[in-house]
Amino acid sequence: MPFLPAKRPPEWRLLNKRSCRLLAELVYFVEQMATASVAERMARLGIRDVDLDETFARSSGPGGQNVNKVATAVTLRHRPSGISVTAQDSRSQAMNRKLARERLLDAIEKAERKRRAAEIAERERARRRKSPRPAALKRKILDSKRKRGVLKKLRGQIKD
C-alpha cells in the first residue's frame, strides 16, 4: 500500500484565474442582492436618488495609506426630511456608500414609525377627551363638589 499524503481542507486562496473569477462572481452576486434590497426599500419608502446629497471625505481610524489618500467616508443627507448619516466603517468607498444608504433607510423608517406612533397617541388623547365620563365617576365628582360647598358655607361669617 503506497503512502498517501493527508488531504488538506479546501482553502479560499486565490490560486488561479478561475478561482479569482468565481470569487468575483460571488462577490458581485452578493452585492447585487444587497443593492436590490436597498432599492426595494427605497421604492417602498418613496425615496428617490435625486433627493439624496452624497458627500465624500477622508476617513479616520484603521486602514493605513488607503484611508489617508482616498475619500472613503460617505455622508448621505435626505433633503426632504433633513436626516443625515455618515459611514466610514470600510476601506472601500463603494461599501461605505451602501452602508450609508442602509443606515439612512433605517433612520427614515424609525422616524416614520415615531411619527405614526405620535399620530395614534394624539387620536387616542382626543378620543378620551371627547368621550363622556362614566356615571359612577361623575357621581363621585359631584359628591366631592357638594361636600366642598358645604365646608365653604360653614366658613362663612358669624352673625351677631
Side-chain angles (χ1 to χ4, degrees), residues 31 57-64 66-68 70-74 86-100 103:
E31 285 177 353
R58 291 204 179 119
S59 295
S60 62
N66 189 66
V67 297
N68 295 333
V70 183
T72 56
V74 178
T86 300
Q88 60 177 16
D89 300 358
S90 172
R91 293 177 64 208
S92 161
Q93 188 184 74
M95 183 60 79
N96 283 336
R97 288 181 73 194
K98 186 176 92 55
L99 286 171
R103 288 179 187 169

Side-chain angles (χ1 to χ4, degrees), residues 72-127:
T72 56
V74 178
T75 301
L76 205 57
R77 186 172 154 271
H78 185 238
R79 270 186 252 129
S81 65
I83 296 174
S84 179
V85 294
T86 300
Q88 60 177 16
D89 300 358
S90 172
R91 293 177 64 208
S92 161
Q93 188 184 74
M95 183 60 79
N96 283 336
R97 288 181 73 194
K98 186 176 92 55
L99 286 171
R101 276 184 166 61
E102 288 175 356
R103 288 179 187 169
L104 182 71
L105 292 173
D106 290 342
I108 290 172
E109 284 174 343
K110 184 178 178 183
E112 184 68 23
R113 279 194 302 270
K114 191 175 179 182
R115 186 190 60 76
R116 276 199 212 116
E119 221 173 68
I120 291 169
E122 181 57 38
R123 274 200 311 261
E124 279 298 305
R125 205 174 300 120
R127 185 187 62 77

Side-chain angles (χ1 to χ4, degrees), residues 16-150:
N16 55 32
K17 288 181 181 178
R18 184 170 181 268
S19 60
C20 285
R21 191 169 43 254
L22 288 173
L23 184 63
E25 287 174 5
L26 177 66
V27 168
Y28 177 77
F29 176 74
V30 170
E31 285 177 353
Q32 289 303 311
M33 292 298 290
T35 305
S37 70
V38 168
E40 181 183 306
R41 283 175 68 191
M42 285 177 70
R44 189 168 28 94
L45 290 170
I47 298 169
R48 301 174 308 164
D49 275 333
V50 295
D51 293 337
L52 302 177
D53 285 335
E54 200 169 30
T55 56
F56 305 100
R58 291 204 179 119
S59 295
S60 62
Q65 186 178 10
N66 189 66
V67 297
N68 295 333
K69 284 177 65 178
V70 183
T72 56
V74 178
T75 301
L76 205 57
R77 186 172 154 271
H78 185 238
R79 270 186 252 129
S81 65
I83 296 174
S84 179
V85 294
T86 300
Q88 60 177 16
D89 300 358
S90 172
R91 293 177 64 208
S92 161
Q93 188 184 74
M95 183 60 79
N96 283 336
R97 288 181 73 194
K98 186 176 92 55
L99 286 171
R101 276 184 166 61
E102 288 175 356
R103 288 179 187 169
L104 182 71
L105 292 173
D106 290 342
I108 290 172
E109 284 174 343
K110 184 178 178 183
E112 184 68 23
R113 279 194 302 270
K114 191 175 179 182
R115 186 190 60 76
R116 276 199 212 116
E119 221 173 68
I120 291 169
E122 181 57 38
R123 274 200 311 261
E124 279 298 305
R125 205 174 300 120
R127 185 187 62 77
R128 283 194 303 270
R129 236 188 343 256
K130 288 178 184 176
S131 66
R133 286 190 172 131
L137 180 62
K138 194 168 183 178
R139 262 195 313 277
K140 189 175 175 182
I141 291 171
L142 289 175
D143 287 344
S144 169
K145 285 184 173 185
R146 256 192 238 72
K147 286 179 187 175
R148 173 76 50 202
V150 169

